[in-house]
Amino acid sequence: GENVEQHPSTLSVQEGDSAVIKCTYSDSASNYFPWYKQELGKRPQLIIDIRSNVGEKKDQRIAVTLNKTAKHFSLHITETQPEDSAVYFCAASIGGSQGNLIFGKGTKLSVKP
Amino acid sequence: DAGVTQSPTHLIKTRGQQVTLRCSPKSGHDTVSWYQQALGQGPQFIFQYYEEEERQRGNFPDRFSGHQFPNYSSELNVNALLLGDSALYLCASSPGTPNTGELFFGEGSRLTVL
């Protein structure tokens, strides 16, 4: 079945450094790739997303890249801050279906002051 | 503007019992999806409701069922509870039109099965 693999599972960086999280997906029909941030005991919150007709998208310190040929996409956070500490999930749409997502297992990011 | 609201926030059940979880979507949204998030894992898609019908379903047994009401709110029912059903159950809503695919999650209902 469809699958999304996410690496690394944990990531520790110093404040001000960059963080990169990578995901691969298996379903060629996936066309929507969101990233969610989940703080402890809180709901997942969308931080950025990208669609299959775009290769890169940036929003302030956060950027996402997509390589459809290789079926992988990455999240880049620059100038990390302690408040960036959380679990980050990548996801891919199930086929072309909107709103139905397969999630990766998450990356626990720790930013040390 | 209220976001996605879920109830109850926490509940404890014993094996074999049944549970009903409730969700009110974000204002203006007519599509509701349910996800199960086990501890330390990513959310897993259970099913999606649109126009009061189940539109798509993930790999979950028939013990998991749902309903959507005319006001777009939704319920998730789980019968014959197992220990492995212990998880955070997340409801997410999205607009049907235009359907951007973006999901808005509620805070979840944490179910513990003893």
Side-chain angles (χ1 to χ4, degrees):
Chain A
E2 298 89 352
N3 188 42
V4 172
E5 303 243 351
Q6 182 172 348
H7 299 280
S9 56
T10 59
L11 180 58
S12 182
V13 300
Q14 287 294 134
E15 182 177 0
D17 286 351
S18 295
V20 179
I21 303 171
K22 299 183 178 182
C23 290
T24 59
Y25 62 97
S26 60
D27 186 354
S28 301
S30 295
N31 58 8
Y32 175 64
F33 307 91
W35 287 86
Y36 285 85
K37 175 183 180 182
Q38 188 175 30
E39 297 175 7
L40 193 62
K42 299 289 187 179
R43 63 187 174 92
Q45 288 193 286
L46 180 71
I47 56 171
I48 195 167
D49 57 14
I50 192 167
R51 299 185 188 276
S52 57
N53 58 345
V54 176
E56 185 174 354
K57 183 177 179 180
K58 189 173 181 180
D59 182 4
Q60 298 182 2
R61 298 186 297 109
I62 296 174
V64 58
T65 58
L66 171 66
N67 183 328
K68 282 223 75 179
T69 302
K71 293 184 191 171
H72 63 69
F73 55 116
S74 301
L75 176 72
H76 304 251
I77 306 175
T78 58
E79 300 171 28
T80 53
Q81 301 165 3
E83 50 266 38
D84 293 330
S85 296
V87 179
Y88 290 80
F89 292 98
C90 63
S93 60
I94 299 174
S97 176
Q98 302 284 9
N100 303 333
L101 302 173
I102 301 176
F103 283 80
K105 292 191 174 182
T107 296
K108 184 177 181 180
L109 174 64
S110 300
V111 180
K112 299 179 179 179
Chain B
D1 174 28
V4 179
T5 58
Q6 293 186 243
S7 64
T9 54
H10 296 82
L11 70 167
I12 300 173
K13 293 285 187 178
T14 56
R15 280 179 298 175
Q17 285 189 312
Q18 178 264 345
V19 68
T20 297
L21 308 178
R22 296 175 177 83
C23 171
S24 291
K26 182 178 168 65
S27 178
H29 289 184
D30 57 8
T31 301
V32 173
S33 301
W34 286 92
Y35 288 79
Q36 180 195 67
Q37 186 176 24
L39 200 61
Q41 301 292 317
Q44 279 196 292
F45 173 67
I46 303 175
F47 42 53
Q48 182 185 73
Y49 276 85
Y50 173 69
E51 292 188 339
E52 301 180 51
E53 290 190 358
E54 183 183 291
R55 181 157 69 174
Q56 196 165 356
R57 187 179 184 93
N59 189 24
F60 278 80
D62 292 344
R63 297 187 298 109
F64 289 77
S65 63
H67 188 78
Q68 186 179 35
F69 300 93
N71 67 352
Y72 309 124
S73 66
S74 176
E75 287 182 350
L76 164 65
N77 301 292
V78 187
N79 295 322
L81 285 167
L82 304 173
L83 296 179
D85 294 332
S86 295
L88 180 68
Y89 288 84
L90 294 163
C91 171
S93 72
S94 54
T97 306
N99 194 337
T100 62
E102 182 177 347
L103 296 181
F104 293 80
F105 283 92
E107 296 287 354
S109 293
R110 184 164 296 283
L111 170 65
T112 301
V113 182
L114 301 177

